[in-house]
Amino acid sequence: MLGPRLWPRVFCTTANARLARLFTTSRSIRTSGILTTLDIPTKAAPIITRRLSQADDHSVDHEADQQFSLNWRGATPQTVLIIKKANDTNVDSALARISQWLHTEYPQINIVLEPPVFDQFHSTLPFVHKIPNGMHTEYSRIIDFVVTLGGDGTFLHVSSLFEKQVPPIIPFSMGTLGFLLPFNVRDFQLQMRRVIEGSATLLPRMRLMYSRFKADGTLDKSGGVNVTNEACIHRGTYPHLTTISCYLNNHLLTTSVGDGIIVGTPTGSTAYSLSAGGPIVHPLVSSMIVSPVCPRSLSFRPLILPSSSVVKLQVHKKSRGRATAYMDGRDCGELLQGEYIEVRKSPYPLMCVNRSDLAAGWALDINQLLQFNRTFSYPHDTPFSDDDPNSREE
């Protein structure tokens, strides 16, 4: 008799199909050899608890107390979503290797790919599952955790797949920069085991929720979107500078004439906001960043606001040009004079698997990836690297 692990891999007669489901947790509909997610049971939400520091006073201000631990309620997760960077042969090879390893080591875990990626890999990975076209809610219903293979853009793409809460994400760096990605894909087995066994450390990355309004205050149907890096109003392709009024908690803060204004998160502080002259903010600092883009005034400097703030950006009624709303770099449509967006803290942060020692990892990243405080006199080394006994070469 065939063992439980072999049932999904053979052709079952109609009589045996019901019996096969008793031996597998991968209860998926097979249509013409394609596994879909429609019959995968709804996931059970994991228990995410705040870590306790090793300090004697267990101060809530300790860095460890601001990170979290993952608990699968005594079981193992049942479904993983793998997201990959497009058009990269190295990433394709990594996805195939990780999928094969998961299927061998944890056959009870269902592996889900996005529809275009599924079409690419179905012939070589017949055990992977496809979310049916048009059934976007399946992501939120069944996915227990997400693996990303690529760069920061691949990581940000995950946020757009889930309407509200996003499952824990394991980001592996296979892109150009990878500032948000703490793990090398060579270590995927170790990091995946930690997540599956519930021993991983989670870093909550604050997100923003943006809503769009017409000039009369009517809420636009495209509002209520969660963004990870920034919300921005920009003049886009229009030749004239745009005039934008910025309100803080319904009080006029300033009116800016320039290319635009960015409202960002600590995660987004190393993205567009940084290029516009904004500050670098540690991910555990719960805050919002307001950065002007090429303002006509030299005295409009970037601001760091409490995360409880509500920021309103309105295209001034006397603005010469229109403006365009951008969310994490995506074009979200044109704003006419008098129309505006409101940005506030989202109740749904991104829970990212991270290094247990966040401070050491963050300091390493801004020095190695962003070349923090490098001078022309020392093109290869930081001038005082010997002062840090923990500094090391990769």
Side-chain angles (χ1 to χ4, degrees):
M1 182 175 179
L2 294 175
R5 294 188 181 183
L6 296 180
W7 275 106
R9 305 180 190 178
V10 299
F11 178 81
C12 298
T13 65
T14 303
N16 289 336
R18 296 178 182 175
L19 183 60
R21 290 181 180 177
L22 298 176
F23 294 95
T24 177
T25 58
S26 180
R27 304 176 180 179
S28 303
I29 295 176
R30 181 184 290 273
T31 305
S32 302
I34 295 178
L35 295 174
T36 69
T37 61
L38 295 180
D39 205 30
I40 295 178
T42 301
K43 66 180 181 181
I47 301 174
I48 297 178
T49 55
R50 188 181 295 273
R51 290 178 56 196
L52 291 178
S53 69
Q54 301 300 317
D56 293 337
D57 58 356
H58 293 291
S59 169
V60 295
D61 293 329
H62 194 279
E63 177 187 282
D65 291 325
Q66 299 180 61
Q67 299 185 74
F68 294 80
S69 298
L70 186 62
N71 186 320
W72 296 108
R73 301 176 183 268
T76 57
Q78 69 176 14
T79 308
V80 56
L81 171 65
I82 302 180
I83 303 293
K84 82 172 192 74
K85 177 183 177 181
N87 304 319
D88 190 306
T89 55
N90 290 330
V91 174
D92 291 348
S93 299
L95 184 146
R97 182 178 178 185
I98 290 174
S99 298
Q100 291 283 5
W101 178 82
L102 271 172
H103 187 60
T104 302
E105 296 294 321
Y106 300 95
Q108 75 277 17
I109 296 181
N110 304 297
I111 302 171
V112 177
L113 304 179
E114 292 183 282
V117 182
F118 175 89
D119 295 339
Q120 177 184 350
F121 285 91
H122 170 57
S123 59
T124 56
L125 302 174
F127 49 83
V128 298
H129 299 71
K130 177 181 181 180
I131 290 183
N133 294 330
M135 301 193 68
H136 201 80
T137 56
E138 282 288 278
Y139 289 107
S140 298
R141 186 183 72 84
I142 64 169
I143 301 301
D144 290 297
F145 67 100
V146 182
V147 174
T148 65
L149 304 172
D152 292 342
T154 308
F155 173 82
L156 294 176
H157 173 63
V158 176
S159 178
S160 66
L161 299 177
F162 298 86
E163 183 178 354
K164 295 181 180 179
Q165 187 65 55
V166 180
I169 304 172
I170 317 175
F172 292 105
S173 179
M174 297 192 71
T176 305
L177 181 60
F179 185 77
L180 305 179
L181 316 175
F183 302 122
N184 192 297
V185 73
R186 293 192 301 265
D187 303 323
F188 80 88
Q189 294 186 16
L190 172 63
Q191 302 305 330
M192 297 279 280
R193 289 188 190 278
R194 286 178 175 174
V195 172
I196 294 171
E197 296 169 4
S199 60
T201 298
L202 299 181
L203 168 68
R205 288 190 177 272
M206 171 185 160
R207 290 197 293 173
L208 300 175
M209 178 176 289
Y210 115 94
S211 301
R212 178 172 172 166
F213 295 85
K214 299 184 181 301
D216 61 1
T218 305
L219 179 64
D220 189 278
K221 62 181 180 180
S222 63
V225 178
N226 291 292
V227 295
T228 304
N229 272 352
E230 74 278 312
C232 173
I233 289 184
H234 195 276
R235 67 183 178 94
T237 59
Y238 291 97
H240 300 294
L241 298 179
T242 185
T243 304
I244 302 172
S245 295
C246 179
Y247 295 82
L248 174 60
N249 298 334
N250 290 323
H251 299 285
L252 179 63
L253 180 63
T254 189
T255 297
S256 171
V257 178
D259 282 356
I261 297 179
I262 300 167
V263 181
T265 63
T267 297
S269 70
T270 52
Y272 188 17
S273 174
L274 182 63
S275 297
I280 298 176
V281 181
H282 193 282
L284 290 183
V285 179
S286 184
S287 59
M288 297 169 63
I289 305 163
V290 175
S291 300
V293 182
C294 300
R296 194 169 65 180
S297 170
L298 295 178
S299 60
F300 189 175
R301 311 311 302 162
L303 302 172
I304 298 179
L305 304 175
S307 60
S308 58
S309 303
V310 178
V311 177
K312 170 182 170 182
L313 301 179
Q314 183 175 35
V315 181
H316 198 276
K317 62 181 180 180
K318 294 184 179 180
S319 178
R320 292 184 63 190
R322 302 173 183 178
T324 303
Y326 295 92
M327 306 298 138
D328 282 345
R330 301 189 304 272
D331 187 335
C332 294
E334 186 180 80
L335 293 171
L336 303 179
Q337 285 83 350
E339 295 184 337
Y340 61 95
I341 66 172
E342 279 189 354
V343 183
R344 65 188 70 219
K345 180 181 178 180
S346 170
Y348 307 106
L350 286 182
M351 303 302 291
C352 306
V353 179
N354 203 71
R355 307 177 181 96
S356 57
D357 191 345
L358 176 61
W362 187 76
L364 188 68
D365 287 343
I366 65 170
N367 278 283
Q368 291 193 344
L369 299 179
L370 298 185
Q371 303 293 300
F372 182 66
N373 197 31
R374 289 293 176 96
T375 68
F376 295 109
S377 301
Y378 300 87
H380 304 296
D381 305 293
T382 53
F384 308 108
S385 59
D386 292 341
D387 293 346
D388 183 4
N390 297 318
S391 64
R392 58 183 177 86
E393 296 183 358
E394 287 294 313

